[in-house]
Amino acid sequence: MLSNFHTHTFRCQHASGEDKEYVEAAIHSGLKVLGFSDHCPWLFPDGYISRIRMTPAQLDNYFSSIESLKKEYSSDIKIYAGFEAEYTPALNASQEKLFRGYPIDYMILGQHFMGSESDSVFVGRPSDDEDILKQYADLVIEGIATGKYLYLAHPDIINYIGSDEVYNKHISRLCHFMKEKEIPLEINVLGLWEQRPYPSARFWEIAGKIGNTAVIGIDAHAPEQILNSEAIHKAEQFCETYGLKRVELALS
């Protein structure tokens, strides 16, 4: 594994460690590229304050810290600054205005909610409602169609527990679209290591048959997770199990 574009920071309120510690862990692990992609801030019109992402007031510090690390470690590793973001049509315009002027290298799509975090349900909650599954596939497809996102993080976070027939119908549609647009799907190392509902065998069997490309994302919430070679090896084996074509991403 040469690159990881899924790295969080303490600013999201559920990760630990200093930015510099993530960089030094990445160098020690042999990574050539490290992308920071903390949970992006939103401007919630109802005054809601998130407990799972950075605040708008932390943007300056986030980018100044990473820009400083880019210079300090320029001879050791390539560092990028980005976000893991939901696609939320009602809030996108205000977010783009908020981000104006910041040196964002990339964004990855991590669709944790169907709408605003303040008024919608986490998609990882178990459900047998086909409408929720369909909405998830529709929203992800609409988001990827904007061209804003490098890849789709934990694409199997949607925890549909209904019939295989219904699941296959909507997930196949999503996977075919991702293949057409040449957008990789993420094998999420944190989910695999912590035995979360994702990575999902049901999802990756479909993706393997369709021929989607896969990227490994550590989803690091602590520096030591970048050094967990056993967890990363499990993700590499996961790719082999489902016949996935694994890619290493690079930014121009």
Side-chain angles (χ1 to χ4, degrees):
M1 185 174 179
L2 301 176
S3 60
N4 175 57
F5 285 90
H6 198 164
T7 313
H8 294 281
T9 78
F10 67 89
R11 298 170 188 82
C12 73
Q13 307 179 70
H14 59 281
S16 62
E18 296 299 319
D19 301 343
K20 188 170 187 172
E21 293 178 289
Y22 286 91
V23 174
E24 292 183 347
I27 294 169
H28 186 72
S29 73
L31 288 179
K32 303 302 181 184
V33 176
L34 181 68
F36 283 95
S37 54
D38 211 357
H39 292 285
C40 69
W42 290 97
L43 292 172
F44 296 104
D46 55 5
Y48 175 81
I49 299 175
S50 174
R51 301 301 179 191
I52 59 169
R53 62 185 69 246
M54 73 167 69
T55 66
Q58 291 175 302
L59 280 170
D60 287 352
N61 176 261
Y62 180 63
F63 282 101
S64 64
S65 173
I66 296 173
E67 289 300 312
S68 176
L69 292 170
K70 285 181 180 183
K71 295 174 183 176
E72 182 178 353
Y73 292 94
S74 61
S75 62
D76 301 300
I77 191 169
K78 187 71 176 177
I79 299 172
Y80 293 108
F83 291 114
E84 178 184 10
E86 292 77 15
Y87 174 70
T88 310
L91 302 181
N92 283 349
S94 62
Q95 187 187 67
E96 288 176 5
K97 184 177 180 180
L98 174 67
F99 287 169
R100 199 169 296 156
Y102 287 103
I104 300 172
D105 295 316
Y106 72 101
M107 295 177 75
I108 58 177
L109 179 60
Q111 198 69 41
H112 302 89
F113 301 94
M114 295 296 192
S116 169
E117 177 191 332
S118 65
D119 61 10
S120 64
V121 177
F122 173 56
V123 301
R125 182 178 295 180
S127 171
D128 61 359
D129 187 339
E130 181 179 357
D131 285 343
I132 293 176
L133 177 64
K134 180 181 182 300
Q135 288 172 30
Y136 174 79
D138 289 344
L139 199 58
V140 166
I141 287 171
E142 185 179 339
I144 291 295
T146 66
K148 290 171 55 175
Y149 304 99
L150 182 64
Y151 73 72
L152 178 59
H154 40 61
D156 42 353
I157 192 172
I158 182 72
N159 196 2
Y160 178 76
I161 57 174
S163 74
D164 286 344
E165 181 182 1
V166 169
Y167 186 81
N168 291 350
K169 177 174 67 174
H170 296 291
I171 295 302
S172 292
R173 178 166 58 89
L174 186 154
C175 288
H176 277 296
F177 183 83
M178 297 301 152
K179 183 179 180 182
E180 177 188 338
K181 297 298 181 182
E182 299 182 339
I183 297 294
L185 305 173
E186 180 195 72
I187 306 287
N188 189 274
V189 175
L190 184 62
L192 187 64
W193 185 250
E194 294 187 346
Q195 298 183 326
R196 296 180 179 184
Y198 60 90
S200 161
R202 183 159 68 156
F203 179 95
W204 290 103
E205 284 175 358
I206 295 169
K209 290 176 182 176
I210 289 173
N212 290 100
T213 54
V215 60
I216 293 177
I218 297 175
D219 197 359
H221 284 73
E224 57 267 25
Q225 291 173 352
I226 294 176
L227 296 168
N228 191 340
S229 58
E230 185 180 349
I232 293 168
H233 182 59
K234 282 181 178 289
E236 292 169 341
Q237 290 179 317
F238 197 93
C239 287
E240 294 177 7
T241 297
Y242 294 99
L244 302 167
K245 180 184 177 182
R246 181 181 153 205
V247 296
E248 291 280 359
L249 298 176
L251 300 183
S252 56

